[in-house]
Amino acid sequence: MSSMPSKIRPGQPELLPYGKIREDLFRPLSGLTKKYFAAILIPLLVILFGAYAWSTQLRLGMGVTGLHRPVFWGFYIVDFVFWIGISHAGTLISAILRLTDASWRKPITRAAEAITVFALMIGGLFPIIHLGRAWRFYWLMPYPNSRLLWPNFRSPLLWDLTAICAYVTGSVLFLYLPLIPDMAQLAEHNAPWRRKLYRALSLGWTGSDTEWHALERAMKLMAGIILAVAVSVHTIVAWDFSMAIAPMWHSTIFGPYFVVGAIFSGLAGLMIVMALIRKLMGLELYLTRHHFDNLAKLLLLMSVLWLYFTLAEHLTAWYGNDPSEMIVFGARTRTRFAFIFWLMVFVNFVVPFTLLGIRKLRSITTGVIASFGILLGMFLERYIIVVPTLSNPRLAAASSGFYMPSWVEIAITVATFAGMIVLYLLFSKLFPIIAVWEFKPHQQEDEI
Amino acid sequence: MASVTWLLGEFRDKDAVADAVRSLRAAGVSVSDLDLFSEEPLELPRGLLDRPSRMSLAAVLGAAAMGGAATLFVWWAQNDYALITGGMPVFSFWGTGVITYEMTMLGAVLSVFGYFLWESGLLRKRDKSAPIPVVPPERIWLRLCCKGSDVARPKALLQQAGAVMVEEKASV
């Protein structure tokens, strides 16, 4: 074990005594403050309103939404793509940084992995909400119907189901594995129900070297596998669009374009969550400016990559001058959707490039401001991808249409953001949001 | 059945533990009779207390098995009630490749998790007679299983290596 240094410098919390780290990171689990209740009560009310909106849709049918011929994909599909994108925060950040042994990842990984699981849970709800008859969702399962007809395995929608199931399973296990040693330490908690919970979930972990070796091996392997799954999931979400010969959708770069956008929005989500838990849980010593600075640099890189893909996508369409594509191109950049398009470019590139690119302006606050902008921008990007194409279909026989989300769609969308807050607050009360055992530098890192 | 005595040595220093393991191995103690307990992963020099693993192989085999099974299932289902495909093949790897890929990855994930549970011994039947030390922060415990009657020598080796305390526990 490393000996304690004489003086801990700010930004070096990993050099604190292990007992102190443990105490600081386990403290937020105990006690329920008024601030916590207030933080959870308001989103709960929003969720209740969202549930009422959904019940209205279930009772009265899809007519209560703004979906009309020919625009049959609207906010729900935008939400689906958005949340699946956010889910890339955890797995990709955590897996990439874990595989590359980047030591600054340590306070970030669990927060990121939890985002993945919750965002997937929320994102996975939207295809079911979009079905209208949500109680028929099991028709997607691979079993024959009453006429012995199997689902069409060539359908990208069935690919989605398979990919999301694989991703959820992998992400839950990826979150759970490094939680085991922390839960074993928490097994002596004062509250009896917590003791029972942590004992059951820690599976009798003793801290033997056999267990540690198995855990570290499993985490390395899992990181590699989950990375491949995460990339495939958003590629498949992109293929939901690009497999259709619809204007501005049938593009070969849609897969990587979506993956880049997903990582971009995921990073922004992570930045906001980290800033919130830092403030609410008093973890200023552990989530330092250094971590936010590194995240800001990653955001900046993704912002530039996003702009590159957006330009490549639009320039190719413009140069091709295909009449049906040019109608959508014009709608996006010059007419009906131009404001949304240019606002998207502004908040996804201009704002982050200014706030995070200029060193003097880069701080935790500006990082959070830029991240909120990016989340808005990425939501608009998905809207810009989905709606203008469906409003201007390729076939001349199909009339063009106009889409405006109804209050039901907006309420359900807002409720999912509230849902994310509630899930995160509950998680952070049950489990340490920073992996305690991973926090200390290990021997190999000392040698490096 | 030969009597088993457990020795538990408490250390405060990683290097002292490494010395203890080195001298015990030199005295003929096998790796399977040694266990370290710590609150965080402990990296000893390579070759000292290596525990070979087949987790990667399990991942590959699990991936191949699940991917293969999923592909066979899709092939069977597509042929069980063939859809009208307008002359295109009823089953094609292009069309079902995504499902094969995702199920392959899921197979790998599940095998890694299953193998972790097995290899770490978390879900296997443990030797209930083996004492499990409570490990406070900044401490390391080395547990040694002595199957013969000679306990004094390994005990001395632990003390020589720098154990602050050595406990002796007979098997129940």
Side-chain angles (χ1 to χ4, degrees):
Chain A
M1 307 261 159
S2 52
S3 56
M4 205 188 135
S6 54
K7 196 178 175 192
I8 310 294
R9 289 202 308 271
Q12 281 187 308
E14 64 275 13
L15 298 181
L16 286 165
Y18 196 48
K20 161 87 174 139
I21 294 175
R22 206 165 75 148
E23 194 191 314
D24 283 353
L25 299 182
F26 285 169
R27 194 187 312 114
L29 302 184
S30 309
L32 293 170
T33 58
K34 278 182 186 169
K35 209 162 69 175
Y36 180 83
F37 271 119
I40 213 163
L41 190 69
I42 297 162
L44 270 177
L45 292 174
V46 178
I47 292 172
L48 270 179
F49 188 68
Y52 168 72
W54 191 18
S55 76
T56 307
Q57 181 183 303
L58 289 174
R59 275 183 293 114
L60 303 177
M62 292 298 277
V64 298
T65 66
L67 299 169
H68 298 289
R69 198 169 67 87
V71 185
F72 288 118
W73 283 5
F75 249 40
Y76 296 149
I77 299 300
V78 172
D79 286 327
F80 167 67
V81 182
F82 176 80
W83 282 111
I84 299 294
I86 294 289
S87 77
H88 279 56
T91 312
L92 275 171
I93 305 305
S94 169
I96 291 170
L97 298 181
R98 203 179 279 278
L99 283 173
T100 52
D101 252 342
S103 58
W104 67 272
R105 76 178 153 82
K106 289 176 180 180
I108 298 173
T109 46
R110 184 163 299 155
E113 286 155 12
I115 291 180
T116 297
V117 173
F118 300 143
L120 273 175
M121 284 162 64
I122 294 169
L125 263 180
F126 277 102
I128 297 172
I129 296 172
H130 182 73
L131 280 177
R133 297 178 187 183
W135 55 94
R136 302 278 195 213
F137 81 95
Y138 64 90
W139 283 9
L140 278 167
M141 297 293 158
Y143 81 105
N145 66 14
S146 54
R147 292 182 180 179
L148 298 178
L149 184 67
W150 290 87
N152 183 3
F153 292 98
R154 281 166 293 227
S155 160
L157 295 180
L158 206 65
W159 298 353
D160 267 340
L161 178 82
T162 322
I164 290 171
C165 286
Y167 194 28
V168 168
T169 312
S171 300
V172 169
L173 294 178
F174 196 57
L175 172 69
Y176 174 62
L177 278 176
L179 261 172
I180 295 175
D182 282 350
M183 287 190 292
Q185 289 189 37
L186 283 164
E188 301 308 317
H189 200 277
N190 291 336
W193 70 269
R194 278 190 188 257
R195 266 205 304 274
K196 276 185 195 162
L197 175 79
Y198 297 134
R199 273 188 193 155
L201 289 176
S202 61
L203 307 171
W205 177 271
T206 59
S208 74
D209 64 307
T210 315
E211 291 167 350
W212 283 120
H213 281 151
L215 179 69
E216 293 208 313
R217 238 173 248 136
M219 286 307 294
K220 283 268 180 210
L221 279 171
M222 205 72 110
I225 299 164
I226 210 82
L227 204 57
V229 176
V231 170
S232 76
V233 168
H234 223 67
T235 305
I236 292 165
V237 170
W239 288 346
D240 286 344
F241 301 93
S242 63
M243 291 298 170
I245 311 174
M248 300 288 287
W249 280 5
H250 196 58
S251 156
T252 53
I253 66 158
F254 246 40
Y257 183 30
F258 269 51
V259 173
V260 164
I263 301 172
F264 189 32
S265 59
L267 274 171
L270 180 61
M271 175 87 95
I272 293 168
V273 165
M274 292 230 323
L276 280 177
I277 55 176
R278 180 178 190 265
K279 203 81 190 156
L280 285 175
M281 295 183 173
L283 297 175
E284 286 88 351
L285 188 60
Y286 296 90
L287 295 170
T288 61
R289 206 193 139 120
H290 169 65
H291 300 112
F292 285 89
D293 207 47
N294 283 335
L295 271 181
K297 285 175 193 162
L298 276 178
L299 261 181
L300 202 56
L301 170 74
M302 296 316 297
S303 173
V304 175
L305 263 178
W306 174 86
L307 185 75
Y308 162 67
F309 271 95
T310 306
L311 277 176
E313 176 64 18
H314 286 82
L315 182 64
T316 319
W318 178 81
Y319 207 84
N321 204 22
D322 178 276
S324 54
E325 294 225 320
M326 285 312 287
I327 293 171
V328 178
F329 183 91
R332 277 189 194 181
T333 56
R334 285 194 306 272
T335 57
R336 202 196 292 174
F337 300 97
F339 174 71
I340 297 175
F341 182 85
W342 293 111
L343 177 63
M344 168 191 84
V345 173
F346 181 73
V347 291
N348 275 353
F349 180 71
V350 181
V351 174
F353 200 77
T354 313
L355 292 182
L356 308 177
I358 300 169
R359 206 171 170 185
K360 276 186 186 167
L361 293 178
R362 199 190 306 149
S363 68
I364 297 176
T365 313
T366 54
V368 170
I369 292 168
S371 297
F372 271 113
I374 291 164
L375 286 189
L376 169 71
M378 289 313 293
F379 190 87
L380 296 178
E381 189 220 43
R382 276 68 187 250
Y383 187 87
I384 276 290
I385 288 173
V386 174
V387 179
T389 294
L390 290 174
S391 305
N392 300 284
R394 182 183 290 275
L395 293 176
S399 59
S400 60
F402 188 74
Y403 168 78
M404 272 296 281
S406 70
W407 72 269
V408 172
E409 290 164 287
I410 293 169
I412 291 175
T413 301
V414 174
T416 56
F417 284 90
M420 184 71 180
I421 295 170
V422 169
L423 284 170
Y424 219 91
L425 284 172
L426 290 176
F427 179 82
S428 62
K429 235 354 160 192
L430 280 175
F431 305 105
I433 204 72
I434 294 177
V436 179
W437 68 271
E438 278 193 288
F439 205 75
K440 290 279 279 182
H442 302 147
Q443 190 189 28
Q444 294 141 320
E445 291 163 18
D446 291 345
E447 284 162 3
I448 289 166
Chain B
M1 194 179 151
S3 68
V4 174
T5 309
W6 301 93
L7 286 181
L8 287 168
E10 187 190 336
F11 293 84
R12 290 182 187 179
D13 180 4
K14 195 159 48 183
D15 296 333
V17 179
D19 287 344
V21 173
R22 203 171 286 122
S23 48
L24 286 168
R25 293 289 312 278
V29 175
S30 77
V31 171
S32 59
D33 290 333
L34 291 169
D35 282 297
L36 285 173
F37 294 86
S38 55
E39 272 219 324
E40 55 182 304
L42 199 64
E43 300 291 340
L44 294 182
R46 200 172 281 253
L48 203 55
L49 198 60
D50 289 351
R51 300 197 188 272
S53 169
R54 294 214 165 103
M55 200 181 277
S56 310
L57 180 66
V60 172
L61 292 179
M66 194 135 173
T71 310
L72 277 175
F73 173 73
V74 172
W75 177 85
W76 175 79
Q78 299 288 61
N79 283 288
D80 183 48
Y81 194 124
L83 292 170
I84 297 164
T85 53
M88 298 297 279
V90 171
F91 172 85
S92 102
F93 282 106
W94 281 108
T96 54
V98 168
I99 288 175
T100 301
Y101 175 83
E102 293 301 334
M103 289 296 106
T104 303
M105 290 298 156
L106 184 60
V109 165
L110 293 176
S111 332
V112 167
F113 184 65
Y115 203 85
F116 158 75
L117 292 177
W118 187 81
E119 191 178 84
S120 61
L122 288 177
L123 286 191
R124 270 189 296 166
K125 199 177 168 187
R126 290 169 197 253
D127 182 357
K128 300 272 184 200
S129 66
I132 296 168
V134 177
V135 189
E138 311 281 338
R139 300 280 191 281
I140 307 164
W141 283 88
L142 175 61
R143 186 178 71 187
L144 170 63
C145 173
C146 304
K147 285 170 185 143
S149 54
D150 183 18
V151 177
R153 184 148 184 267
K155 197 171 179 176
L157 286 173
L158 286 175
Q159 282 162 342
Q160 271 170 26
V164 287
M165 185 173 64
V166 180
E167 285 178 20
E168 192 177 320
K169 290 192 176 172
S171 193
V172 182

